[in-house]
mmCIF file of all heavy atoms in Angstrom:
data_model
loop_
_atom_site.group_PDB
_atom_site.id
_atom_site.type_symbol
_atom_site.label_atom_id
_atom_site.label_comp_id
_atom_site.label_asym_id
_atom_site.label_seq_id
_atom_site.Cartn_x
_atom_site.Cartn_y
_atom_site.Cartn_z
ATOM 1 N N ASP G 1367 126.335 97.765 126.133
ATOM 2 C CA ASP G 1367 125.681 99.073 126.263
ATOM 3 C C ASP G 1367 124.978 99.440 124.949
ATOM 4 O O ASP G 1367 125.557 99.321 123.862
ATOM 5 C CB ASP G 1367 126.729 100.155 126.587
ATOM 6 C CG ASP G 1367 127.272 100.037 127.999
ATOM 7 O OD1 ASP G 1367 126.641 99.318 128.800
ATOM 8 O OD2 ASP G 1367 128.316 100.654 128.295
ATOM 9 N N GLY G 1368 123.731 99.879 125.100
ATOM 10 C CA GLY G 1368 122.951 100.255 123.933
ATOM 11 C C GLY G 1368 122.240 99.096 123.270
ATOM 12 O O GLY G 1368 121.506 99.294 122.293
ATOM 13 N N PHE G 1369 122.414 97.869 123.785
ATOM 14 C CA PHE G 1369 121.825 96.674 123.174
ATOM 15 C C PHE G 1369 121.080 95.792 124.171
ATOM 16 O O PHE G 1369 120.298 94.931 123.760
ATOM 17 C CB PHE G 1369 122.917 95.827 122.504
ATOM 18 C CG PHE G 1369 123.576 96.482 121.326
ATOM 19 C CD1 PHE G 1369 124.642 97.351 121.511
ATOM 20 C CD2 PHE G 1369 123.140 96.232 120.031
ATOM 21 C CE1 PHE G 1369 125.259 97.962 120.430
ATOM 22 C CE2 PHE G 1369 123.753 96.838 118.947
ATOM 23 C CZ PHE G 1369 124.815 97.703 119.137
ATOM 24 N N ALA G 1370 121.270 95.960 125.453
ATOM 25 C CA ALA G 1370 120.842 94.977 126.449
ATOM 26 C C ALA G 1370 119.328 94.890 126.606
ATOM 27 O O ALA G 1370 118.771 93.798 126.773
ATOM 28 C CB ALA G 1370 121.492 95.298 127.800
ATOM 29 N N THR G 1371 118.620 96.017 126.576
ATOM 30 C CA THR G 1371 117.172 96.017 126.785
ATOM 31 C C THR G 1371 116.473 96.584 125.555
ATOM 32 O O THR G 1371 117.095 97.253 124.719
ATOM 33 C CB THR G 1371 116.784 96.861 128.005
ATOM 34 O OG1 THR G 1371 117.012 98.245 127.710
ATOM 35 C CG2 THR G 1371 117.605 96.456 129.235
ATOM 36 N N ASN G 1372 115.169 96.348 125.491
ATOM 37 C CA ASN G 1372 114.422 96.880 124.348
ATOM 38 C C ASN G 1372 114.480 98.402 124.313
ATOM 39 O O ASN G 1372 114.630 98.995 123.243
ATOM 40 C CB ASN G 1372 112.970 96.414 124.381
ATOM 41 C CG ASN G 1372 112.193 96.906 123.167
ATOM 42 O OD1 ASN G 1372 112.497 96.545 122.032
ATOM 43 N ND2 ASN G 1372 111.204 97.765 123.398
ATOM 44 N N ASP G 1373 114.356 99.049 125.486
ATOM 45 C CA ASP G 1373 114.458 100.508 125.512
ATOM 46 C C ASP G 1373 115.803 100.969 124.964
ATOM 47 O O ASP G 1373 115.884 101.950 124.208
ATOM 48 C CB ASP G 1373 114.269 101.031 126.942
ATOM 49 C CG ASP G 1373 112.808 101.041 127.367
ATOM 50 O OD1 ASP G 1373 111.931 100.897 126.492
ATOM 51 O OD2 ASP G 1373 112.547 101.174 128.577
ATOM 52 N N ASP G 1374 116.876 100.246 125.355
ATOM 53 C CA ASP G 1374 118.210 100.582 124.832
ATOM 54 C C ASP G 1374 118.231 100.447 123.312
ATOM 55 O O ASP G 1374 118.759 101.311 122.603
ATOM 56 C CB ASP G 1374 119.270 99.649 125.427
ATOM 57 C CG ASP G 1374 119.509 99.875 126.915
ATOM 58 O OD1 ASP G 1374 119.183 100.972 127.402
ATOM 59 O OD2 ASP G 1374 119.993 98.935 127.574
ATOM 60 N N ARG G 1375 117.672 99.345 122.838
ATOM 61 C CA ARG G 1375 117.768 99.056 121.409
ATOM 62 C C ARG G 1375 116.935 100.036 120.575
ATOM 63 O O ARG G 1375 117.328 100.418 119.475
ATOM 64 C CB ARG G 1375 117.341 97.611 121.137
ATOM 65 C CG ARG G 1375 118.321 96.578 121.710
ATOM 66 C CD ARG G 1375 118.028 95.170 121.219
ATOM 67 N NE ARG G 1375 116.748 94.655 121.708
ATOM 68 C CZ ARG G 1375 116.572 94.057 122.870
ATOM 69 N NH1 ARG G 1375 117.595 93.897 123.717
ATOM 70 N NH2 ARG G 1375 115.384 93.594 123.223
ATOM 71 N N VAL G 1376 115.769 100.439 121.097
ATOM 72 C CA VAL G 1376 114.958 101.423 120.380
ATOM 73 C C VAL G 1376 115.697 102.758 120.312
ATOM 74 O O VAL G 1376 115.739 103.413 119.260
ATOM 75 C CB VAL G 1376 113.575 101.584 121.050
ATOM 76 C CG1 VAL G 1376 112.819 102.769 120.448
ATOM 77 C CG2 VAL G 1376 112.750 100.308 120.893
ATOM 78 N N ALA G 1377 116.307 103.166 121.427
ATOM 79 C CA ALA G 1377 117.060 104.428 121.446
ATOM 80 C C ALA G 1377 118.296 104.356 120.554
ATOM 81 O O ALA G 1377 118.753 105.369 120.015
ATOM 82 C CB ALA G 1377 117.469 104.765 122.885
#
Side-chain angles (χ1 to χ4, degrees):
D1367 289 345
F1369 294 85
T1371 70
N1372 183 63
D1373 283 346
D1374 291 339
R1375 292 191 294 275
V1376 171

